[in-house]
Amino acid sequence: MAKDKNTMRSNFNEQIQFILMNKREDNNAFLSTSDYSRVIQQVKKSKKSLNTVGEKKTTKDYRVIRKYDILVMNGKEHLIRPIDEKNVVLYYATIDELFDILYDTHSAIGHGGRNRMVSELKNNYCNITNETIMVFLKLCAECHKKTVCSKISLAPKPILQPTFNSRAQVDLIDMQSRRHNDYRFIMYYQEHLTKYIMLKPLKSKCAEEIAYNLIDIFTLFGAPTILQSCSGKKFVTSIINKLHVIWDEVKIDYGWPKHSESQESVERTNRDVQEMLSAWMTKKDSLDWPSALKFIQFKKNRTFHSSIGTSPYEAMFGCTARIGFESSNLPNAEITKIKTEEDL
């Protein structure tokens, strides 16, 4: 794994250097470490000129101040874009930092594609270009495996619903080859309006076990009017019948998936979940995939979904998913120093 990462890093840096050779001299998207320091010094100089009475002010000073600012934390200077009315801090990244930023982001969103990468990175950085992201993605071996496994087809049309919980889907992911503590399946549940998913480990695929897990979801978010599955009518009706027995107040009807592409969409999601699980197990050196499901579910829900133009989490709750200080735009080096509220 480390060897593959180092090879990828080397190839990435080579391609970035090739891009730089063809860029104009006034390019500002790519900053070397020396350029980064030089810009910080220029920002200081321009600020001093603009704030000093009688000092000569130049067009360059105004241009620099409009584009850059400096954030000082624990004595370290960070180059940022001037903070706007939204109080969002966006950092400038150096060329030396690019690979690690892209690698960590790509891993965190389960090897998501360009749109997901752009959506994640724009929350923290202001100078990472689409071109840079595409260079990285083309070098990712895991993404190449995913592409090879995917069928060539038209992009699936989203099943649009007028209201929350009017339609939901339930399917199973077969994990029998990775059986752990008697768990053999994953129940995959998705609410169609928000694309929000829930993942539950199952010991069997009997209707009763599935129904009990669905009730856990329904008593949190409410029950849908229509429940569908790519596994067919017999599979869903047996679950609905068991639901009606356990909870006689709930009334749900069976529905067919609206588009033939739904099967492909479900298969793609299943592959994503399994790949994210594999990455988690490799990182943690653990075979306990049932314990990982909550984390995989959270990652899937907080990443950008192209058919709704936002993340499922934001569509469901109306705000971005937070993970403590990791959501604060603070550099990782500073986050590790925070132990108390006073430190913050």
Side-chain angles (χ1 to χ4, degrees), residues 143-325:
C143 290
H144 281 298
K145 291 177 185 177
K146 188 187 298 187
T147 302
V148 170
C149 294
S150 298
K151 297 178 181 178
I152 300 175
S153 61
L154 295 174
K157 299 175 183 177
I159 302 175
L160 300 178
Q161 296 302 318
T163 57
F164 172 72
N165 251 349
S166 58
R167 182 180 293 266
Q169 180 138 349
V170 61
D171 282 289
L172 299 182
I173 301 175
D174 192 334
M175 297 292 289
Q176 293 185 87
S177 62
R178 293 184 174 185
R179 174 178 172 179
H180 186 82
N181 290 343
D182 293 329
Y183 287 107
R184 304 178 184 183
F185 301 92
I186 298 171
M187 187 188 82
Y188 165 82
Y189 176 87
Q190 182 181 62
E191 195 282 319
H192 271 296
L193 179 68
T194 61
K195 306 303 179 188
Y196 194 88
I197 70 164
M198 300 285 282
L199 302 173
K200 300 280 190 179
L202 302 178
K203 294 182 177 179
S204 71
K205 53 182 179 181
C206 70
E208 186 172 14
E209 186 175 4
I210 296 171
Y212 272 111
N213 277 277
L214 285 175
I215 285 175
D216 280 344
I217 297 171
F218 295 165
T219 50
L220 281 174
F221 298 105
T225 305
I226 302 294
L227 186 65
Q228 67 184 45
S229 174
C230 288
S231 297
K233 183 176 181 178
K234 184 177 179 181
F235 174 76
V236 180
T237 52
S238 64
I239 296 170
I240 291 174
N241 290 338
K242 186 58 67 174
L243 280 168
H244 290 166
V245 171
I246 300 172
W247 189 15
D248 58 6
E249 289 179 283
V250 70
K251 302 299 178 186
I252 301 173
D253 288 329
Y254 165 75
W256 289 96
K258 291 291 186 181
H259 301 286
S260 60
E261 294 92 345
S262 291
Q263 179 70 42
E264 294 173 18
S265 178
V266 169
E267 288 175 357
R268 249 192 325 275
T269 301
N270 289 354
R271 282 197 301 272
D272 284 348
V273 170
Q274 291 185 70
E275 287 169 2
M276 291 170 76
L277 276 176
S278 294
W280 184 91
M281 289 189 288
T282 299
K283 181 179 180 180
K284 299 292 185 180
D285 192 22
S286 170
L287 298 176
D288 187 8
W289 60 263
S291 295
L293 287 182
K294 287 185 181 357
F295 303 106
I296 304 306
Q297 172 186 301
F298 185 68
K299 281 185 179 181
K300 285 286 291 178
N301 285 326
R302 69 183 287 265
T303 55
F304 180 83
H305 198 296
S306 59
S307 70
I308 58 175
T310 185
S311 71
Y313 188 98
E314 289 179 82
M316 173 70 80
F317 298 108
C319 61
T320 57
R322 298 188 61 82
I323 43 176
F325 293 125

Side-chain angles (χ1 to χ4, degrees), residues 3-19:
K3 183 179 179 181
D4 292 341
K5 182 178 179 180
N6 289 334
T7 300
M8 189 177 175
R9 183 196 299 274
S10 177
N11 292 335
F12 174 81
N13 288 335
E14 282 182 15
Q15 293 196 34
I16 292 300
Q17 289 303 318
F18 179 79
I19 290 173

Side-chain angles (χ1 to χ4, degrees), residues 128-143:
I128 298 181
T129 65
N130 286 1
E131 183 180 22
T132 304
I133 293 171
M134 290 308 299
V135 167
F136 177 87
L137 292 177
K138 288 176 182 177
L139 293 172
C140 180
E142 290 297 322
C143 290

Side-chain angles (χ1 to χ4, degrees), residues 55 88 100 141 180 300:
E55 187 81 15
V88 176
D100 287 325
H180 186 82
K300 285 286 291 178

